[in-house]
PDB file of all heavy atoms in Angstrom:
ATOM      1  N   ALA A  11      -0.226  -8.830   4.088  1.00 85.00           N
ATOM      2  CA  ALA A  11       0.944  -9.700   4.158  1.00 85.00           C
ATOM      3  C   ALA A  11       1.963  -9.349   3.036  1.00 85.00           C
ATOM      4  O   ALA A  11       3.221  -9.309   3.283  1.00 85.00           O
ATOM      5  CB  ALA A  11       0.527 -11.148   4.067  1.00 85.00           C
ATOM      6  N   GLY A  12       1.475  -9.315   1.822  1.00 88.00           N
ATOM      7  CA  GLY A  12       2.390  -9.053   0.691  1.00 88.00           C
ATOM      8  C   GLY A  12       3.108  -7.674   0.828  1.00 88.00           C
ATOM      9  O   GLY A  12       4.359  -7.578   0.751  1.00 88.00           O
ATOM     10  N   PRO A  13       2.353  -6.583   0.959  1.00 85.00           N
ATOM     11  CA  PRO A  13       3.001  -5.256   1.072  1.00 85.00           C
ATOM     12  C   PRO A  13       3.902  -5.237   2.383  1.00 85.00           C
ATOM     13  O   PRO A  13       4.983  -4.522   2.327  1.00 85.00           O
ATOM     14  CB  PRO A  13       1.872  -4.271   1.229  1.00 85.00           C
ATOM     15  CG  PRO A  13       0.733  -4.933   0.519  1.00 85.00           C
ATOM     16  CD  PRO A  13       0.892  -6.437   0.760  1.00 85.00           C
ATOM     17  N   SER A  14       3.552  -5.951   3.388  1.00 87.00           N
ATOM     18  CA  SER A  14       4.445  -5.934   4.596  1.00 87.00           C
ATOM     19  C   SER A  14       5.806  -6.653   4.248  1.00 87.00           C
ATOM     20  O   SER A  14       6.857  -6.151   4.672  1.00 87.00           O
ATOM     21  CB  SER A  14       3.749  -6.668   5.699  1.00 87.00           C
ATOM     22  OG  SER A  14       4.522  -6.666   6.866  1.00 87.00           O
ATOM     23  N   ALA A  15       5.701  -7.724   3.405  1.00 91.00           N
ATOM     24  CA  ALA A  15       6.958  -8.417   3.057  1.00 91.00           C
ATOM     25  C   ALA A  15       7.757  -7.514   2.136  1.00 91.00           C
ATOM     26  O   ALA A  15       9.008  -7.403   2.336  1.00 91.00           O
ATOM     27  CB  ALA A  15       6.535  -9.743   2.385  1.00 91.00           C
ATOM     28  N   ALA A  16       7.129  -6.797   1.220  1.00 90.00           N
ATOM     29  CA  ALA A  16       7.859  -5.838   0.356  1.00 90.00           C
ATOM     30  C   ALA A  16       8.481  -4.700   1.167  1.00 90.00           C
ATOM     31  O   ALA A  16       9.591  -4.357   0.783  1.00 90.00           O
ATOM     32  CB  ALA A  16       6.803  -5.338  -0.716  1.00 90.00           C
ATOM     33  N   MET A  17       7.754  -4.258   2.189  1.00 89.00           N
ATOM     34  CA  MET A  17       8.444  -3.295   3.089  1.00 89.00           C
ATOM     35  C   MET A  17       9.654  -3.746   3.717  1.00 89.00           C
ATOM     36  O   MET A  17      10.596  -3.095   3.745  1.00 89.00           O
ATOM     37  CB  MET A  17       7.352  -2.859   4.110  1.00 89.00           C
ATOM     38  CG  MET A  17       7.859  -1.832   5.093  1.00 89.00           C
ATOM     39  SD  MET A  17       6.605  -1.285   6.346  1.00 89.00           S
ATOM     40  CE  MET A  17       6.376  -2.822   7.292  1.00 89.00           C
ATOM     41  N   ARG A  18       9.686  -4.993   4.173  1.00 92.00           N
ATOM     42  CA  ARG A  18      10.867  -5.670   4.736  1.00 92.00           C
ATOM     43  C   ARG A  18      12.050  -5.712   3.664  1.00 92.00           C
ATOM     44  O   ARG A  18      13.168  -5.440   4.042  1.00 92.00           O
ATOM     45  CB  ARG A  18      10.596  -6.994   5.373  1.00 92.00           C
ATOM     46  CG  ARG A  18       9.504  -7.084   6.342  1.00 92.00           C
ATOM     47  CD  ARG A  18      10.051  -6.419   7.628  1.00 92.00           C
ATOM     48  NE  ARG A  18       8.943  -6.579   8.628  1.00 92.00           N
ATOM     49  CZ  ARG A  18       8.618  -5.629   9.396  1.00 92.00           C
ATOM     50  NH1 ARG A  18       9.248  -4.447   9.441  1.00 92.00           N
ATOM     51  NH2 ARG A  18       7.714  -5.786  10.346  1.00 92.00           N
ATOM     52  N   LEU A  19      11.661  -6.124   2.492  1.00 94.00           N
ATOM     53  CA  LEU A  19      12.732  -6.136   1.426  1.00 94.00           C
ATOM     54  C   LEU A  19      13.313  -4.693   1.202  1.00 94.00           C
ATOM     55  O   LEU A  19      14.548  -4.498   1.087  1.00 94.00           O
ATOM     56  CB  LEU A  19      12.152  -6.558   0.102  1.00 94.00           C
ATOM     57  CG  LEU A  19      11.701  -8.115   0.094  1.00 94.00           C
ATOM     58  CD1 LEU A  19      11.007  -8.374  -1.272  1.00 94.00           C
ATOM     59  CD2 LEU A  19      12.936  -9.000   0.331  1.00 94.00           C
ATOM     60  N   ALA A  20      12.407  -3.709   1.198  1.00 91.00           N
ATOM     61  CA  ALA A  20      12.921  -2.282   1.062  1.00 91.00           C
ATOM     62  C   ALA A  20      13.688  -1.902   2.264  1.00 91.00           C
ATOM     63  O   ALA A  20      14.756  -1.199   2.109  1.00 91.00           O
ATOM     64  CB  ALA A  20      11.719  -1.339   0.892  1.00 91.00           C
ATOM     65  N   ASP A  21      13.321  -2.307   3.458  1.00 92.00           N
ATOM     66  CA  ASP A  21      14.130  -1.919   4.694  1.00 92.00           C
ATOM     67  C   ASP A  21      15.572  -2.544   4.532  1.00 92.00           C
ATOM     68  O   ASP A  21      16.472  -1.974   5.126  1.00 92.00           O
ATOM     69  CB  ASP A  21      13.450  -2.445   5.944  1.00 92.00           C
ATOM     70  CG  ASP A  21      12.179  -1.615   6.357  1.00 92.00           C
ATOM     71  OD1 ASP A  21      12.153  -0.491   5.773  1.00 92.00           O
ATOM     72  OD2 ASP A  21      11.421  -2.172   7.069  1.00 92.00           O
ATOM     73  N   LEU A  22      15.686  -3.701   3.848  1.00 95.00           N
ATOM     74  CA  LEU A  22      17.048  -4.342   3.638  1.00 95.00           C
ATOM     75  C   LEU A  22      17.706  -3.761   2.529  1.00 95.00           C
ATOM     76  O   LEU A  22      18.779  -4.271   2.133  1.00 95.00           O
ATOM     77  CB  LEU A  22      16.778  -5.813   3.577  1.00 95.00           C
ATOM     78  CG  LEU A  22      16.383  -6.497   4.902  1.00 95.00           C
ATOM     79  CD1 LEU A  22      16.004  -7.965   4.646  1.00 95.00           C
ATOM     80  CD2 LEU A  22      17.440  -6.475   5.929  1.00 95.00           C
ATOM     81  N   GLY A  23      17.202  -2.810   1.815  1.00 95.00           N
ATOM     82  CA  GLY A  23      17.934  -2.180   0.699  1.00 95.00           C
ATOM     83  C   GLY A  23      17.398  -2.364  -0.731  1.00 95.00           C
ATOM     84  O   GLY A  23      17.912  -1.733  -1.609  1.00 95.00           O
ATOM     85  N   ALA A  24      16.390  -3.306  -0.884  1.00 94.00           N
ATOM     86  CA  ALA A  24      15.888  -3.442  -2.231  1.00 94.00           C
ATOM     87  C   ALA A  24      15.104  -2.295  -2.700  1.00 94.00           C
ATOM     88  O   ALA A  24      14.395  -1.583  -1.828  1.00 94.00           O
ATOM     89  CB  ALA A  24      15.030  -4.726  -2.258  1.00 94.00           C
ATOM     90  N   ARG A  25      15.087  -2.136  -4.009  1.00 91.00           N
ATOM     91  CA  ARG A  25      14.186  -1.005  -4.548  1.00 91.00           C
ATOM     92  C   ARG A  25      12.891  -1.793  -4.896  1.00 91.00           C
ATOM     93  O   ARG A  25      12.928  -2.718  -5.604  1.00 91.00           O
ATOM     94  CB  ARG A  25      14.822  -0.522  -5.858  1.00 91.00           C
ATOM     95  CG  ARG A  25      14.019   0.540  -6.485  1.00 91.00           C
ATOM     96  CD  ARG A  25      14.742   1.129  -7.669  1.00 91.00           C
ATOM     97  NE  ARG A  25      13.855   1.950  -8.456  1.00 91.00           N
ATOM     98  CZ  ARG A  25      13.823   1.924  -9.805  1.00 91.00           C
ATOM     99  NH1 ARG A  25      14.591   1.176 -10.482  1.00 91.00           N
ATOM    100  NH2 ARG A  25      12.890   2.647 -10.385  1.00 91.00           N
ATOM    101  N   VAL A  26      11.799  -1.316  -4.303  1.00 90.00           N
ATOM    102  CA  VAL A  26      10.527  -2.046  -4.550  1.00 90.00           C
ATOM    103  C   VAL A  26       9.562  -1.145  -5.395  1.00 90.00           C
ATOM    104  O   VAL A  26       9.352   0.071  -5.119  1.00 90.00           O
ATOM    105  CB  VAL A  26       9.861  -2.269  -3.161  1.00 90.00           C
ATOM    106  CG1 VAL A  26       8.531  -2.968  -3.358  1.00 90.00           C
ATOM    107  CG2 VAL A  26      10.738  -3.121  -2.297  1.00 90.00           C
ATOM    108  N   ILE A  27       9.087  -1.744  -6.381  1.00 88.00           N
ATOM    109  CA  ILE A  27       8.012  -1.097  -7.260  1.00 88.00           C
ATOM    110  C   ILE A  27       6.692  -1.845  -7.155  1.00 88.00           C
ATOM    111  O   ILE A  27       6.758  -3.105  -7.373  1.00 88.00           O
ATOM    112  CB  ILE A  27       8.449  -1.002  -8.717  1.00 88.00           C
ATOM    113  CG1 ILE A  27       9.705  -0.203  -8.817  1.00 88.00           C
ATOM    114  CG2 ILE A  27       7.314  -0.479  -9.645  1.00 88.00           C
ATOM    115  CD1 ILE A  27      10.267  -0.186 -10.221  1.00 88.00           C
ATOM    116  N   LYS A  28       5.712  -1.186  -6.644  1.00 85.00           N
ATOM    117  CA  LYS A  28       4.409  -1.829  -6.421  1.00 85.00           C
ATOM    118  C   LYS A  28       3.590  -1.672  -7.723  1.00 85.00           C
ATOM    119  O   LYS A  28       3.348  -0.586  -8.175  1.00 85.00           O
ATOM    120  CB  LYS A  28       3.644  -1.207  -5.258  1.00 85.00           C
ATOM    121  CG  LYS A  28       2.323  -1.794  -5.014  1.00 85.00           C
ATOM    122  CD  LYS A  28       1.785  -1.210  -3.674  1.00 85.00           C
ATOM    123  CE  LYS A  28       0.501  -1.804  -3.352  1.00 85.00           C
ATOM    124  NZ  LYS A  28       0.557  -3.275  -3.033  1.00 85.00           N
ATOM    125  N   ILE A  29       3.187  -2.798  -8.301  1.00 84.00           N
ATOM    126  CA  ILE A  29       2.372  -2.828  -9.517  1.00 84.00           C
ATOM    127  C   ILE A  29       0.894  -3.020  -9.124  1.00 84.00           C
ATOM    128  O   ILE A  29       0.616  -3.989  -8.400  1.00 84.00           O
ATOM    129  CB  ILE A  29       2.756  -3.939 -10.468  1.00 84.00           C
ATOM    130  CG1 ILE A  29       4.246  -3.986 -10.785  1.00 84.00           C
ATOM    131  CG2 ILE A  29       2.012  -3.905 -11.814  1.00 84.00           C
ATOM    132  CD1 ILE A  29       4.775  -2.656 -11.427  1.00 84.00           C
ATOM    133  N   GLU A  30      -0.005  -2.057  -9.493  1.00 80.00           N
ATOM    134  CA  GLU A  30      -1.373  -2.092  -9.112  1.00 80.00           C
ATOM    135  C   GLU A  30      -2.313  -2.193 -10.311  1.00 80.00           C
ATOM    136  O   GLU A  30      -1.965  -1.799 -11.402  1.00 80.00           O
ATOM    137  CB  GLU A  30      -1.758  -0.867  -8.259  1.00 80.00           C
ATOM    138  CG  GLU A  30      -1.016  -0.770  -7.025  1.00 80.00           C
ATOM    139  CD  GLU A  30      -1.550   0.337  -6.134  1.00 80.00           C
ATOM    140  OE1 GLU A  30      -2.513   1.000  -6.505  1.00 80.00           O
ATOM    141  OE2 GLU A  30      -0.962   0.574  -5.091  1.00 80.00           O
ATOM    142  N   ARG A  31      -3.541  -2.643 -10.055  1.00 77.00           N
ATOM    143  CA  ARG A  31      -4.583  -2.627 -11.088  1.00 77.00           C
ATOM    144  C   ARG A  31      -4.912  -1.210 -11.418  1.00 77.00           C
ATOM    145  O   ARG A  31      -4.869  -0.352 -10.598  1.00 77.00           O
ATOM    146  CB  ARG A  31      -5.801  -3.260 -10.561  1.00 77.00           C
ATOM    147  CG  ARG A  31      -5.665  -4.734 -10.176  1.00 77.00           C
ATOM    148  CD  ARG A  31      -6.831  -5.260  -9.470  1.00 77.00           C
ATOM    149  NE  ARG A  31      -7.169  -4.507  -8.378  1.00 77.00           N
ATOM    150  CZ  ARG A  31      -8.462  -4.068  -8.055  1.00 77.00           C
ATOM    151  NH1 ARG A  31      -9.439  -4.333  -8.876  1.00 77.00           N
ATOM    152  NH2 ARG A  31      -8.667  -3.360  -6.966  1.00 77.00           N
ATOM    153  N   PRO A  32      -5.174  -0.834 -12.685  1.00 77.00           N
ATOM    154  CA  PRO A  32      -5.510   0.520 -13.106  1.00 77.00           C
ATOM    155  C   PRO A  32      -6.830   0.954 -12.590  1.00 77.00           C
ATOM    156  O   PRO A  32      -7.038   2.196 -12.374  1.00 77.00           O
ATOM    157  CB  PRO A  32      -5.491   0.469 -14.595  1.00 77.00           C
ATOM    158  CG  PRO A  32      -5.710  -0.955 -14.895  1.00 77.00           C
ATOM    159  CD  PRO A  32      -5.146  -1.761 -13.820  1.00 77.00           C
ATOM    160  N   ASP A  33      -7.732   0.055 -12.290  1.00 77.00           N
ATOM    161  CA  ASP A  33      -9.057   0.464 -11.822  1.00 77.00           C
ATOM    162  C   ASP A  33      -9.199   0.490 -10.318  1.00 77.00           C
ATOM    163  O   ASP A  33      -9.930  -0.279  -9.755  1.00 77.00           O
ATOM    164  CB  ASP A  33     -10.119  -0.463 -12.471  1.00 77.00           C
ATOM    165  CG  ASP A  33      -9.909  -1.937 -12.059  1.00 77.00           C
ATOM    166  OD1 ASP A  33      -8.760  -2.219 -11.632  1.00 77.00           O
ATOM    167  OD2 ASP A  33     -10.847  -2.694 -12.165  1.00 77.00           O
ATOM    168  N   GLY A  34      -8.473   1.314  -9.706  1.00 73.00           N
ATOM    169  CA  GLY A  34      -8.570   1.566  -8.293  1.00 73.00           C
ATOM    170  C   GLY A  34      -7.332   1.115  -7.431  1.00 73.00           C
ATOM    171  O   GLY A  34      -7.275   1.387  -6.309  1.00 73.00           O
ATOM    172  N   GLY A  35      -6.478   0.358  -8.085  1.00 73.00           N
ATOM    173  CA  GLY A  35      -5.256   0.061  -7.431  1.00 73.00           C
ATOM    174  C   GLY A  35      -5.431  -1.120  -6.366  1.00 73.00           C
ATOM    175  O   GLY A  35      -6.341  -1.853  -6.383  1.00 73.00           O
ATOM    176  N   ASP A  36      -4.547  -1.136  -5.396  1.00 72.00           N
ATOM    177  CA  ASP A  36      -4.571  -2.088  -4.280  1.00 72.00           C
ATOM    178  C   ASP A  36      -5.847  -1.860  -3.447  1.00 72.00           C
ATOM    179  O   ASP A  36      -6.174  -0.760  -3.096  1.00 72.00           O
ATOM    180  CB  ASP A  36      -3.357  -1.793  -3.418  1.00 72.00           C
ATOM    181  CG  ASP A  36      -3.170  -2.763  -2.306  1.00 72.00           C
ATOM    182  OD1 ASP A  36      -4.124  -3.462  -1.948  1.00 72.00           O
ATOM    183  OD2 ASP A  36      -1.998  -2.877  -1.757  1.00 72.00           O
ATOM    184  N   LEU A  37      -6.506  -2.897  -3.197  1.00 69.00           N
ATOM    185  CA  LEU A  37      -7.807  -2.976  -2.380  1.00 69.00           C
ATOM    186  C   LEU A  37      -7.491  -2.377  -0.936  1.00 69.00           C
ATOM    187  O   LEU A  37      -8.357  -1.944  -0.279  1.00 69.00           O
ATOM    188  CB  LEU A  37      -8.475  -4.212  -2.360  1.00 69.00           C
ATOM    189  CG  LEU A  37      -9.028  -4.750  -3.661  1.00 69.00           C
ATOM    190  CD1 LEU A  37      -9.597  -6.081  -3.554  1.00 69.00           C
ATOM    191  CD2 LEU A  37      -9.978  -3.809  -4.192  1.00 69.00           C
ATOM    192  N   GLY A  38      -6.165  -2.523  -0.546  1.00 72.00           N
ATOM    193  CA  GLY A  38      -5.869  -2.008   0.748  1.00 72.00           C
ATOM    194  C   GLY A  38      -5.915  -0.559   0.965  1.00 72.00           C
ATOM    195  O   GLY A  38      -5.917  -0.013   2.065  1.00 72.00           O
ATOM    196  N   ARG A  39      -6.117   0.221  -0.165  1.00 70.00           N
ATOM    197  CA  ARG A  39      -6.262   1.625  -0.156  1.00 70.00           C
ATOM    198  C   ARG A  39      -7.601   2.062   0.704  1.00 70.00           C
ATOM    199  O   ARG A  39      -7.638   3.123   1.220  1.00 70.00           O
ATOM    200  CB  ARG A  39      -6.296   2.227  -1.520  1.00 70.00           C
ATOM    201  CG  ARG A  39      -5.009   2.250  -2.210  1.00 70.00           C
ATOM    202  CD  ARG A  39      -5.133   2.801  -3.585  1.00 70.00           C
ATOM    203  NE  ARG A  39      -3.886   2.811  -4.350  1.00 70.00           N
ATOM    204  CZ  ARG A  39      -2.904   3.679  -4.195  1.00 70.00           C
ATOM    205  NH1 ARG A  39      -3.143   4.784  -3.442  1.00 70.00           N
ATOM    206  NH2 ARG A  39      -1.806   3.634  -4.894  1.00 70.00           N
ATOM    207  N   GLN A  40      -8.501   1.086   0.692  1.00 72.00           N
ATOM    208  CA  GLN A  40      -9.794   1.365   1.380  1.00 72.00           C
ATOM    209  C   GLN A  40      -9.909   0.567   2.659  1.00 72.00           C
ATOM    210  O   GLN A  40     -11.014   0.440   3.254  1.00 72.00           O
ATOM    211  CB  GLN A  40     -10.940   0.981   0.467  1.00 72.00           C
ATOM    212  CG  GLN A  40     -11.186   2.028  -0.661  1.00 72.00           C
ATOM    213  CD  GLN A  40     -10.235   1.873  -1.790  1.00 72.00           C
ATOM    214  OE1 GLN A  40      -9.962   0.852  -2.267  1.00 72.00           O
ATOM    215  NE2 GLN A  40      -9.737   3.092  -2.215  1.00 72.00           N
ATOM    216  N   LEU A  41      -8.843   0.019   3.178  1.00 70.00           N
ATOM    217  CA  LEU A  41      -8.834  -0.756   4.378  1.00 70.00           C
ATOM    218  C   LEU A  41      -8.528   0.197   5.538  1.00 70.00           C
ATOM    219  O   LEU A  41      -7.345   0.642   5.737  1.00 70.00           O
ATOM    220  CB  LEU A  41      -7.777  -1.915   4.279  1.00 70.00           C
ATOM    221  CG  LEU A  41      -7.674  -2.914   5.425  1.00 70.00           C
ATOM    222  CD1 LEU A  41      -8.969  -3.655   5.542  1.00 70.00           C
ATOM    223  CD2 LEU A  41      -6.511  -3.800   5.178  1.00 70.00           C
ATOM    224  N   TYR A  42      -9.557   0.436   6.385  1.00 69.00           N
ATOM    225  CA  TYR A  42      -9.356   1.391   7.442  1.00 69.00           C
ATOM    226  C   TYR A  42      -9.310   0.791   8.828  1.00 69.00           C
ATOM    227  O   TYR A  42     -10.165  -0.111   8.991  1.00 69.00           O
ATOM    228  CB  TYR A  42     -10.518   2.468   7.359  1.00 69.00           C
ATOM    229  CG  TYR A  42     -10.367   3.433   6.179  1.00 69.00           C
ATOM    230  CD1 TYR A  42     -10.939   3.077   4.991  1.00 69.00           C
ATOM    231  CD2 TYR A  42      -9.692   4.589   6.263  1.00 69.00           C
ATOM    232  CE1 TYR A  42     -10.888   3.895   3.930  1.00 69.00           C
ATOM    233  CE2 TYR A  42      -9.603   5.396   5.203  1.00 69.00           C
ATOM    234  CZ  TYR A  42     -10.217   5.178   4.020  1.00 69.00           C
ATOM    235  OH  TYR A  42     -10.083   5.931   2.975  1.00 69.00           O
ATOM    236  N   ILE A  43      -8.467   1.203   9.682  1.00 73.00           N
ATOM    237  CA  ILE A  43      -8.482   0.871  11.126  1.00 73.00           C
ATOM    238  C   ILE A  43      -8.769   2.063  11.914  1.00 73.00           C
ATOM    239  O   ILE A  43      -8.976   1.961  13.136  1.00 73.00           O
ATOM    240  CB  ILE A  43      -7.251   0.083  11.599  1.00 73.00           C
ATOM    241  CG1 ILE A  43      -6.039   1.054  11.343  1.00 73.00           C
ATOM    242  CG2 ILE A  43      -7.106  -1.180  10.929  1.00 73.00           C
ATOM    243  CD1 ILE A  43      -4.727   0.447  11.903  1.00 73.00           C
ATOM    244  N   SER A  44      -8.871   3.296  11.322  1.00 71.00           N
ATOM    245  CA  SER A  44      -9.225   4.485  11.958  1.00 71.00           C
ATOM    246  C   SER A  44      -9.925   5.358  10.881  1.00 71.00           C
ATOM    247  O   SER A  44     -10.072   5.062   9.753  1.00 71.00           O
ATOM    248  CB  SER A  44      -7.994   5.212  12.569  1.00 71.00           C
ATOM    249  OG  SER A  44      -7.233   5.751  11.482  1.00 71.00           O
ATOM    250  N   ASN A  45     -10.392   6.503  11.270  1.00 77.00           N
ATOM    251  CA  ASN A  45     -11.082   7.359  10.382  1.00 77.00           C
ATOM    252  C   ASN A  45     -10.111   8.379   9.570  1.00 77.00           C
ATOM    253  O   ASN A  45     -10.571   9.285   9.033  1.00 77.00           O
ATOM    254  CB  ASN A  45     -12.237   8.181  11.061  1.00 77.00           C
ATOM    255  CG  ASN A  45     -11.690   9.087  12.138  1.00 77.00           C
ATOM    256  OD1 ASN A  45     -10.531   9.031  12.495  1.00 77.00           O
ATOM    257  ND2 ASN A  45     -12.542   9.893  12.708  1.00 77.00           N
ATOM    258  N   LEU A  46      -8.860   8.055   9.713  1.00 78.00           N
ATOM    259  CA  LEU A  46      -7.811   8.901   9.158  1.00 78.00           C
ATOM    260  C   LEU A  46      -7.513   8.436   7.695  1.00 78.00           C
ATOM    261  O   LEU A  46      -7.538   7.246   7.423  1.00 78.00           O
ATOM    262  CB  LEU A  46      -6.504   8.941   9.920  1.00 78.00           C
ATOM    263  CG  LEU A  46      -6.682   9.458  11.342  1.00 78.00           C
ATOM    264  CD1 LEU A  46      -5.333   9.233  12.054  1.00 78.00           C
ATOM    265  CD2 LEU A  46      -7.045  10.931  11.391  1.00 78.00           C
ATOM    266  N   GLU A  47      -7.282   9.435   6.832  1.00 75.00           N
ATOM    267  CA  GLU A  47      -6.861   9.084   5.425  1.00 75.00           C
ATOM    268  C   GLU A  47      -5.886  10.170   4.984  1.00 75.00           C
ATOM    269  O   GLU A  47      -5.801  11.246   5.461  1.00 75.00           O
ATOM    270  CB  GLU A  47      -8.053   8.922   4.455  1.00 75.00           C
ATOM    271  CG  GLU A  47      -8.874  10.127   4.245  1.00 75.00           C
ATOM    272  CD  GLU A  47      -9.960   9.819   3.283  1.00 75.00           C
ATOM    273  OE1 GLU A  47     -10.615   8.794   3.395  1.00 75.00           O
ATOM    274  OE2 GLU A  47     -10.174  10.651   2.337  1.00 75.00           O
ATOM    275  N   LEU A  48      -5.162   9.806   3.952  1.00 76.00           N
ATOM    276  CA  LEU A  48      -4.124  10.681   3.359  1.00 76.00           C
ATOM    277  C   LEU A  48      -4.294  10.571   1.868  1.00 76.00           C
ATOM    278  O   LEU A  48      -4.240   9.465   1.286  1.00 76.00           O
ATOM    279  CB  LEU A  48      -2.730  10.273   3.770  1.00 76.00           C
ATOM    280  CG  LEU A  48      -1.553  11.009   3.288  1.00 76.00           C
ATOM    281  CD1 LEU A  48      -1.653  12.470   3.792  1.00 76.00           C
ATOM    282  CD2 LEU A  48      -0.284  10.439   3.660  1.00 76.00           C
ATOM    283  N   ASP A  49      -4.511  11.722   1.207  1.00 79.00           N
ATOM    284  CA  ASP A  49      -4.773  11.695  -0.241  1.00 79.00           C
ATOM    285  C   ASP A  49      -5.831  10.785  -0.729  1.00 79.00           C
ATOM    286  O   ASP A  49      -5.689  10.129  -1.774  1.00 79.00           O
ATOM    287  CB  ASP A  49      -3.423  11.421  -0.989  1.00 79.00           C
ATOM    288  CG  ASP A  49      -2.389  12.513  -0.759  1.00 79.00           C
ATOM    289  OD1 ASP A  49      -2.733  13.625  -0.539  1.00 79.00           O
ATOM    290  OD2 ASP A  49      -1.136  12.144  -0.800  1.00 79.00           O
ATOM    291  N   GLY A  50      -6.889  10.598   0.053  1.00 79.00           N
ATOM    292  CA  GLY A  50      -8.003   9.669  -0.330  1.00 79.00           C
ATOM    293  C   GLY A  50      -7.744   8.292   0.003  1.00 79.00           C
ATOM    294  O   GLY A  50      -8.616   7.425  -0.243  1.00 79.00           O
ATOM    295  N   ASP A  51      -6.616   7.849   0.555  1.00 76.00           N
ATOM    296  CA  ASP A  51      -6.299   6.504   0.867  1.00 76.00           C
ATOM    297  C   ASP A  51      -6.127   6.331   2.344  1.00 76.00           C
ATOM    298  O   ASP A  51      -5.870   7.242   3.062  1.00 76.00           O
ATOM    299  CB  ASP A  51      -5.041   6.061   0.254  1.00 76.00           C
ATOM    300  CG  ASP A  51      -5.140   6.167  -1.305  1.00 76.00           C
ATOM    301  OD1 ASP A  51      -6.153   5.811  -1.902  1.00 76.00           O
ATOM    302  OD2 ASP A  51      -4.155   6.534  -1.938  1.00 76.00           O
ATOM    303  N   SER A  52      -6.330   5.053   2.772  1.00 75.00           N
ATOM    304  CA  SER A  52      -6.187   4.820   4.231  1.00 75.00           C
ATOM    305  C   SER A  52      -4.739   5.061   4.693  1.00 75.00           C
ATOM    306  O   SER A  52      -3.821   4.802   3.977  1.00 75.00           O
ATOM    307  CB  SER A  52      -6.634   3.394   4.665  1.00 75.00           C
ATOM    308  OG  SER A  52      -5.670   2.488   4.313  1.00 75.00           O
TER     309      SER A  52
END
């Protein structure tokens, strides 16, 4: 929900900086709906 809202802000022209935890970042990096990944993230 949050990243999706941030994406909408960016689509409307805002510059978006995502701040993540240093120990693994956003938990969504490991959220898979398929077996595809890019650079180790979903």
Side-chain angles (χ1 to χ4, degrees):
S14 181
M17 180 179 66
R18 299 287 182 226
L19 293 173
D21 287 342
L22 291 170
R25 180 175 169 224
V26 177
I27 298 176
K28 181 172 182 65
I29 308 297
E30 295 188 6
R31 299 173 304 131
D33 58 340
D36 185 342
L37 296 174
R39 290 178 179 275
Q40 284 76 45
L41 185 63
Y42 290 89
I43 56 173
S44 70
N45 61 353
L46 299 174
E47 64 178 47
L48 179 63
D49 297 329
D51 300 319
S52 75

